[in-house]
DNA sequence: GTTGACAAAATTGGTACCAATCCTATTTAC
DNA sequence: GTAAATAGGATTGGTACCAATTTTGTCAAC
């Protein structure tokens, strides 16, 4: 049974890569699942060619794995990989702490506060994917304050690598609550220009999530 | 004049992506050059399909830029981008300094020393590409000592992003000499377990290159 | 009942073709 | 003589088809 009706009314312009990625992140395709080209073709209403390109890109991003003459399947991330990537993120996000504090205007801080609030607001009503997006928006805004255009894409890529099963993270509500609180603490630290505290918070935040 | 004979006798198994990348890094294709599919097809003796996939991958890596219905051209890296990437590399390579020192066995240090020597040895006789590869091997070995499997690919990717014109870097011999000396100093610092000095050296090394 | 071989179906991956788009050179009007 | 318009050529990018490989299902032998 490969069937699955078209998921789209008007996905119109969006890239197939992101659609597939989003479905993987939403848990539609569990880790280990084989992604058959024909299925994807009908599901997203795209040509064979675009599907192949999308799968190749995802394979490059290590979201799926390619086995010649067998196809592509969702990557099964092990614990070690998660730890390694967390460590890299810590190095980068703490590394820019000083710059962020130096660059942050009052408007920036207020913007961050809004994003932290939005995440907190979704805590009760939001879906997992919405929470995921809100959390991502917060971290993205933080990283942007460093003024390093490249860093943005690097971190985004890192996130995608582990996000194979974001559902499996944040299983308990209490953990999400902690995350929401930490977001606010981070904003506080930025407002008070307390670099050391900010770094400590970030490390703690990334590790536990 | 689009002509250019096949560059290969037996490139047999190597991926077209890497062949093109290597040619860009060697300066065969200058920044800004349009990479026509037909030319690449004949030059590397590959099908249209593989060329397209390779170009798509390189576009994803930001080595080339894709303009719809126009084609792909070698990316022109501006100074800001170089600085941004250098900064990221500094954060990462200094960030692992402690772990590297902790993990490095005598054999590891000796291995690093060999690689530093090899770079130095190529200083007179080697081509630009050989120097580039030797330098890369040294840094790769250093990064590997951190025991973070993911970090490896992240840094490799970062390097590729700026390596559009490695020829333009290292224009003067004196700079290469300085780099070679710094490699040795880094090994010294690791051997003496002087983390602070190692970090200083790395920052200096990456920035000036 | 289990294991092995064989045939059929399904899936991938490559090749070739064709339409759409863009650049260039020539011609024409002013 | 210069500029706009037009025709021609070249390049990209998508679609369809076909071959190669693998998996699944069936049958026979032990």
């Amino acid at each position: 049974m490969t069937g699955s009706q078209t998921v789209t009314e008007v996905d119109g312009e969006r890239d197939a890569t992101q659609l597939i990625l989003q479905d993987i992140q939403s848990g539609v395709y569990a880790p280990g699942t084989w992604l058959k080209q024909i299925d994807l073709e009908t599901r997203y209403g795209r040509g064979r060619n675009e599907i192949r390109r999308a799968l190749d890109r995802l394979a490059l991003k290590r979201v799926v794995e390619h086995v010649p003459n067998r196809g592509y399947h969702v990557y099964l991330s092990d614990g070690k990989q998660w730890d390694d990537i967390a460590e890299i993120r810590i190095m980068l996000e703490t590394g820019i702490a000083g710059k962020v504090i130096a660059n942050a205007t009052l408007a920036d801080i207020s913007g961050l506060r809004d994003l932290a609030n939005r995440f907190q607001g979704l805590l009760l009503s939001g879906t997992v994917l919405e929470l995921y997006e809100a959390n991502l928006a917060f971290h993205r805004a933080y990283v942007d304050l460093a003024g390093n255009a490249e860093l943005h894409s690097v971190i985004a890529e890192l996130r995608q690598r582990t996000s194979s099963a974001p559902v499996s993270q944040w299983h308990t509500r209490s953990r999400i609550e902690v995350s929401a609180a930490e977001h606010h603490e981070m904003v506080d630290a930025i407002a008070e220009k307390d670099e050391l505290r900010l770094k400590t918070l970030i490390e703690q935040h990334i590790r536990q999530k």
Side-chain angles (χ1 to χ4, degrees), chain A residues 49 52-53 56-57 60-62 72 80-81 83-85 87-88 91-96 99 146-154 157-158 161:
Chain A
N49 225 315
R52 274 197 245 182
R53 179 166 41 206
D56 185 64
R57 287 184 181 176
L60 219 62
K61 287 174 187 284
R62 304 267 214 94
Y72 300 80
K80 172 75 163 61
Q81 191 193 18
D83 291 342
D84 283 351
I85 288 180
E87 194 188 354
I88 298 175
M91 280 192 277
L92 294 177
E93 298 198 24
T94 60
I96 59 173
K99 280 225 168 96
N148 188 325
E150 299 300 317
L151 190 55
H152 198 286
S153 62
V154 171
E157 209 170 292
L158 280 173
R161 249 184 235 188

Coordinates of all heavy atoms in Angstrom, one line a residue, chain A residues 49 52-53 56-57 60-62 72 80-81 83-85 87-88 91-96 99 146-154 157-158 161:
Chain A
N49 N 11.6 14.4 -12.1 CA 12.9 15.1 -12.1 C 13.0 15.9 -10.8 O 14.1 15.9 -10.1 CB 13.0 16.0 -13.3 CG 14.4 15.9 -13.9 OD1 15.4 15.9 -13.2 ND2 14.4 15.8 -15.2
R52 N 13.6 13.8 -7.8 CA 14.9 13.2 -7.7 C 15.9 14.3 -7.2 O 16.7 14.0 -6.3 CB 15.4 12.8 -9.1 CG 14.9 11.4 -9.4 CD 15.7 10.8 -10.6 NE 14.9 10.6 -11.7 CZ 15.3 10.1 -12.8 NH1 16.6 9.8 -13.0 NH2 14.5 9.8 -13.8
R53 N 15.7 15.5 -7.7 CA 16.6 16.6 -7.2 C 16.4 16.8 -5.8 O 17.4 17.0 -5.0 CB 16.3 17.9 -8.0 CG 17.2 19.0 -7.6 CD 17.1 20.2 -8.6 NE 15.7 20.4 -9.1 CZ 15.5 20.9 -10.3 NH1 16.4 21.3 -11.1 NH2 14.2 21.1 -10.6
D56 N 18.0 14.1 -3.8 CA 19.5 14.2 -3.8 C 19.9 15.3 -2.8 O 20.9 15.2 -2.1 CB 19.9 14.6 -5.2 CG 21.5 14.6 -5.3 OD1 22.1 13.6 -5.1 OD2 22.0 15.7 -5.6
R57 N 19.2 16.4 -2.8 CA 19.5 17.5 -1.9 C 19.4 17.0 -0.4 O 20.3 17.3 0.4 CB 18.6 18.7 -2.1 CG 18.9 19.5 -3.4 CD 18.1 20.7 -3.4 NE 18.3 21.4 -4.7 CZ 17.6 22.5 -5.0 NH1 16.7 22.9 -4.3 NH2 17.9 23.1 -6.1
L60 N 22.2 15.0 0.6 CA 23.4 15.8 0.8 C 23.3 16.4 2.2 O 24.3 16.6 2.9 CB 23.5 16.9 -0.3 CG 24.9 17.2 -0.8 CD1 25.5 16.0 -1.5 CD2 24.8 18.4 -1.7
K61 N 22.1 16.8 2.6 CA 22.0 17.4 3.9 C 21.9 16.3 5.0 O 21.7 16.6 6.2 CB 20.6 18.2 4.0 CG 20.6 19.5 3.2 CD 19.2 20.0 3.2 CE 19.0 21.2 2.4 NZ 19.5 22.4 3.0
R62 N 22.0 15.1 4.6 CA 22.0 14.0 5.5 C 20.7 13.8 6.2 O 20.6 13.2 7.3 CB 23.1 14.2 6.6 CG 24.5 14.4 6.1 CD 25.2 13.1 6.0 NE 26.6 13.2 6.3 CZ 27.1 13.1 7.5 NH1 26.4 12.7 8.5 NH2 28.4 13.3 7.6
Y72 N 15.9 5.9 -1.5 CA 16.2 6.8 -0.4 C 15.4 6.5 0.8 O 14.2 6.2 0.6 CB 16.0 8.3 -0.8 CG 16.8 8.8 -2.0 CD1 16.4 8.4 -3.3 CD2 17.9 9.5 -1.9 CE1 17.1 8.9 -4.4 CE2 18.6 10.0 -2.9 CZ 18.2 9.6 -4.2 OH 18.9 10.1 -5.3
K80 N 24.8 9.7 19.4 CA 26.1 10.4 19.2 C 26.0 11.6 18.3 O 26.6 12.6 18.6 CB 27.1 9.4 18.7 CG 28.5 9.9 18.3 CD 29.4 10.3 19.5 CE 30.8 10.4 19.2 NZ 31.1 11.5 18.3
Q81 N 25.4 11.4 17.2 CA 25.2 12.4 16.2 C 24.5 13.6 16.8 O 24.9 14.8 16.6 CB 24.5 11.9 15.0 CG 24.5 12.9 13.8 CD 23.5 12.6 12.7 OE1 22.6 11.8 13.0 NE2 23.7 13.1 11.6
D83 N 24.4 14.6 19.9 CA 25.4 15.2 20.8 C 26.4 16.0 20.1 O 26.7 17.2 20.5 CB 26.1 14.2 21.7 CG 25.1 13.5 22.7 OD1 24.1 14.1 22.9 OD2 25.5 12.4 23.2
D84 N 26.9 15.5 19.0 CA 28.0 16.2 18.2 C 27.4 17.5 17.7 O 28.1 18.5 17.8 CB 28.4 15.3 17.1 CG 29.4 14.2 17.5 OD1 29.8 14.3 18.7 OD2 29.7 13.3 16.8
I85 N 26.2 17.4 17.2 CA 25.6 18.6 16.6 C 25.3 19.6 17.6 O 25.5 20.8 17.5 CB 24.4 18.2 15.7 CG1 24.9 17.5 14.5 CG2 23.6 19.4 15.4 CD1 23.8 17.1 13.5
E87 N 26.8 20.1 20.3 CA 28.1 20.7 20.7 C 28.5 21.8 19.7 O 28.9 22.9 20.1 CB 29.2 19.6 20.8 CG 30.4 20.1 21.5 CD 31.6 19.0 21.3 OE1 31.3 17.9 20.8 OE2 32.7 19.3 21.7
I88 N 28.4 21.5 18.5 CA 28.7 22.5 17.5 C 27.8 23.7 17.6 O 28.3 24.9 17.6 CB 28.5 21.9 16.0 CG1 29.5 20.8 15.8 CG2 28.8 23.0 15.0 CD1 29.3 20.1 14.5
M91 N 29.0 25.8 20.5 CA 30.2 26.6 20.1 C 29.8 27.9 19.4 O 30.3 29.0 19.6 CB 31.1 25.8 19.3 CG 32.0 24.8 20.1 SD 33.3 24.1 19.2 CE 32.5 22.8 18.3
L92 N 28.9 27.7 18.4 CA 28.5 28.8 17.6 C 27.7 29.8 18.3 O 27.9 31.0 18.2 CB 27.8 28.3 16.3 CG 28.7 27.5 15.4 CD1 27.9 27.0 14.2 CD2 29.9 28.3 14.9
E93 N 26.6 29.3 19.0 CA 25.7 30.3 19.5 C 26.2 31.0 20.8 O 25.9 32.1 21.1 CB 24.4 29.6 19.8 CG 23.7 29.0 18.5 CD 22.2 28.7 18.7 OE1 21.5 29.3 19.6 OE2 21.7 27.9 17.9
T94 N 27.1 30.3 21.5 CA 27.8 31.0 22.6 C 28.9 31.9 22.0 O 29.2 33.0 22.6 CB 28.4 30.1 23.6 OG1 29.4 29.2 22.9 CG2 27.4 29.2 24.3
G95 N 29.5 31.5 20.9 CA 30.6 32.2 20.3 C 30.2 33.6 19.9 O 31.0 34.6 19.9
I96 N 28.9 33.8 19.5 CA 28.5 35.1 19.0 C 27.8 35.9 20.2 O 27.4 37.0 19.9 CB 27.5 34.9 17.9 CG1 26.3 34.1 18.3 CG2 28.1 34.3 16.7 CD1 25.2 34.1 17.3
K99 N 29.0 39.5 20.5 CA 28.6 40.4 19.3 C 27.1 40.7 19.4 O 26.7 41.8 19.2 CB 28.9 39.6 18.0 CG 30.3 39.8 17.6 CD 30.4 40.1 16.1 CE 31.8 40.5 15.6 NZ 32.6 39.4 15.1
A146 N 24.0 38.7 15.3 CA 25.5 38.6 15.3 C 26.0 39.3 14.0 O 27.1 39.6 13.9 CB 26.0 37.2 15.3
G147 N 25.1 39.5 13.0 CA 25.4 40.1 11.8 C 26.3 39.3 10.9 O 27.1 39.8 10.1
N148 N 26.2 38.0 11.1 CA 27.0 37.1 10.3 C 26.1 36.3 9.3 O 25.4 35.4 9.7 CB 27.8 36.1 11.1 CG 28.8 35.3 10.4 OD1 28.6 34.9 9.2 ND2 30.0 35.0 10.9
A149 N 26.1 36.7 8.1 CA 25.1 36.2 7.1 C 25.3 34.7 6.9 O 24.4 33.9 6.7 CB 25.3 36.9 5.8
E150 N 26.6 34.2 7.0 CA 26.9 32.8 6.7 C 26.4 31.9 7.8 O 26.0 30.8 7.6 CB 28.4 32.7 6.5 CG 28.9 33.4 5.3 CD 28.2 33.1 4.0 OE1 28.1 31.9 3.7 OE2 27.9 34.0 3.2
L151 N 26.6 32.5 9.0 CA 26.3 31.7 10.2 C 24.8 31.2 10.2 O 24.5 30.1 10.6 CB 26.5 32.5 11.5 CG 26.4 31.8 12.8 CD1 27.4 30.7 12.8 CD2 26.8 32.8 13.9
H152 N 24.0 32.0 9.6 CA 22.6 31.7 9.5 C 22.4 30.4 8.8 O 21.7 29.5 9.4 CB 21.9 32.8 8.7 CG 20.5 32.9 8.9 ND1 19.6 32.0 8.3 CD2 19.7 33.7 9.6 CE1 18.4 32.3 8.6 NE2 18.4 33.3 9.4
S153 N 22.9 30.3 7.7 CA 22.7 29.0 6.9 C 23.4 27.8 7.5 O 22.9 26.7 7.5 CB 23.2 29.2 5.5 OG 24.6 29.5 5.5
V154 N 24.5 28.1 8.1 CA 25.2 27.0 8.8 C 24.4 26.4 9.9 O 24.2 25.1 10.0 CB 26.6 27.4 9.4 CG1 27.2 26.3 10.2 CG2 27.5 27.8 8.2
E157 N 21.3 24.6 8.7 CA 21.6 23.2 8.1 C 21.9 22.2 9.2 O 21.4 21.1 9.2 CB 22.9 23.4 7.3 CG 23.0 22.4 6.2 CD 24.2 22.8 5.3 OE1 24.1 23.9 4.6 OE2 25.2 22.1 5.3
L158 N 22.5 22.7 10.3 CA 22.8 21.8 11.4 C 21.5 21.3 12.0 O 21.3 20.2 12.4 CB 23.6 22.5 12.5 CG 25.1 22.6 12.2 CD1 25.7 23.5 13.3 CD2 25.7 21.2 12.3
R161 N 19.7 18.6 10.2 CA 20.3 17.3 10.2 C 19.8 16.5 11.4 O 19.8 15.3 11.3 CB 21.8 17.5 10.5 CG 22.6 17.1 9.3 CD 24.1 17.2 9.5 NE 24.7 18.0 8.6 CZ 26.0 18.2 8.5 NH1 26.8 17.6 9.3 NH2 26.6 19.0 7.6

